[in-house]
Amino acid sequence: MTRVGVVGAGLMGTIHARLLASEVPGARLVAVADPDRAAAERLEAPATYEDGFELIAADDVDAVVVASPVFTHEPFVLACIAAGKPVLCEKPLTATPEAAWRIVEAERAGGSHLVSVGFMRRFDPGYVELKARLDAGAIGRPLLVHCAHRNPFVHAFFDSAMIITDSAVHEADILRWLLGEEISSVDVRCPRASARAREGLQDPQLILLQMASGVLADVEAFVSAGYGYDIRCEIVGEDGTLALPVDVSTGFEQRFAAAYGHELRAWIAGEAVAGAADGFAAAAVCAAGVESLRSGGEVPVRIG
Ligand code: ISE
């Protein structure tokens, strides 16, 4: 039985804690940490902490889920590595590629694989099917990928860069995973902003991702879409096309509910989940995207 502690009792911490408490064989939720102790207590774990580092150090915590604000990911993940405890960190792994690289290096120096990253789309049944059919040669060589990432709304703290680093970071990961190759450059183009978008928010954005093989992907990232949560992906190949089923829901919690459960079960079972290098690669793609958003034009992705 793996005794799991969750750092962060916000939305993502709550999703993970509830799943761990009931739907993950081989796991037991033993502790939750949050500076807001009352929020931690609401998740009904046997122990609560205000300080995430205390939870990570606790003797009865074997593995940790980090679901705290992004700026805290690096110190918490590094503490897990130092303690030799497996950690599943919510996406994005870090806000910058430099911070993600420090995690990659710390894990390497420790000599054992400890860091997993919560790119849960890899466990969504629709994406799993898409990849299986693509890999089986159903449409021949892929040429183009059209993606849409539409949220009904976002909170007031969301800025234009976060549309890339917090939302489209999922496409950065899933495209690398689907196509099995790196993204070499990013070009962000912007239409006029939606009247629904908060003032100053550049929304939507059209993000062009050039893959190393020459495949070109476009991502419409639109976080004030109003009508629902709508994730699309169509791959155009030489012999046909493949697409995710259209499945408009109220939010990502509902749309990817199954994926979060599959991801946690895979993590506890020791199966492949995105790792620190994937977190770094996605952060490098997002950094290029933010640079393109600010300065215009195509920006190469600096990996290594
Ligand atoms: C959120 O943090 C997620 O991870 C969702 O999957 C994504 O759709 C949303 O845009 C993010 O803010």
Side-chain angles (χ1 to χ4, degrees):
M1 185 64 67
T2 306
R3 299 167 299 176
V4 184
V6 175
V7 177
L11 175 60
M12 289 316 304
T14 300
I15 289 175
H16 289 304
R18 294 217 169 112
L19 286 167
L20 284 164
S22 58
E23 290 181 40
V24 185
R28 188 145 53 86
L29 175 71
V30 293
V32 174
D34 197 288
D36 176 354
R37 195 155 206 148
E41 279 166 1
R42 275 198 289 279
L43 298 179
E44 296 176 347
T48 55
Y49 299 86
E50 283 174 17
D51 181 357
F53 294 105
E54 265 184 55
L55 177 148
I56 292 167
D59 285 340
D60 67 344
V61 170
D62 304 318
V64 179
V65 172
V66 171
S68 47
V70 177
F71 74 91
T72 66
H73 286 184
E74 181 188 4
F76 285 141
V77 171
L78 291 176
C80 291
I81 295 172
K85 297 187 182 183
V87 52
L88 173 64
C89 180
E90 252 313 308
K91 51 60 59 177
L93 176 58
T94 56
T96 65
E98 292 77 16
W101 189 249
R102 288 193 284 274
I103 290 174
V104 169
E105 288 196 311
E107 185 185 45
R108 275 189 196 154
S112 40
H113 167 59
L114 292 172
V115 181
S116 300
V117 182
F119 283 124
M120 78 299 181
R121 288 191 186 184
R122 295 179 179 213
F123 295 89
D124 172 67
Y127 276 115
V128 169
E129 165 94 13
L130 211 55
K131 180 163 174 60
R133 294 179 63 193
L134 180 68
D135 289 351
I139 58 167
R141 226 163 50 119
L143 305 170
L144 290 163
V145 188
H146 305 298
C147 309
H149 185 149
R150 304 189 187 126
N151 294 62
F153 67 92
V154 280
H155 296 290
F157 59 80
F158 223 84
D159 63 21
S160 300
M162 285 179 76
I163 294 180
I164 298 170
T165 60
D166 200 73
S167 297
V169 64
H170 281 294
E171 274 76 16
D173 181 69
I174 208 69
L175 286 164
R176 294 179 60 250
W177 178 79
L178 276 173
L179 298 169
E181 57 173 316
E182 296 301 336
I183 295 165
S184 52
S185 70
V186 188
D187 190 352
V188 180
R189 302 288 305 270
C190 299
R192 64 182 176 187
S194 164
R196 285 181 189 278
R198 202 176 18 81
E199 210 189 320
L201 189 66
Q202 181 49 65
D203 187 34
Q205 300 176 14
L206 187 63
I207 306 167
L208 295 175
L209 301 162
Q210 182 73 61
M211 308 299 299
S213 66
V215 172
L216 186 60
D218 57 85
V219 181
E220 173 212 308
F222 186 15
V223 300
S224 320
Y227 71 92
Y229 186 73
D230 192 3
I231 299 300
R232 302 195 185 198
C233 180
E234 181 189 35
I235 309 176
V236 180
E238 278 169 339
D239 303 327
T241 66
L242 288 169
L244 279 184
V246 173
D247 178 4
V248 181
S249 35
T250 47
F252 64 86
E253 312 90 296
Q254 295 77 20
R255 169 65 181 80
F256 289 110
Y260 287 119
H262 292 318
E263 178 183 66
L264 271 177
R265 286 187 285 274
W267 178 58
I268 289 295
E271 292 161 15
V273 175
D278 299 304
F280 165 71
V285 171
C286 290
V290 172
E291 193 178 324
S292 173
L293 176 69
R294 294 199 172 127
S295 54
E298 186 176 347
V299 176
V301 177
R302 284 178 280 274
I303 293 196

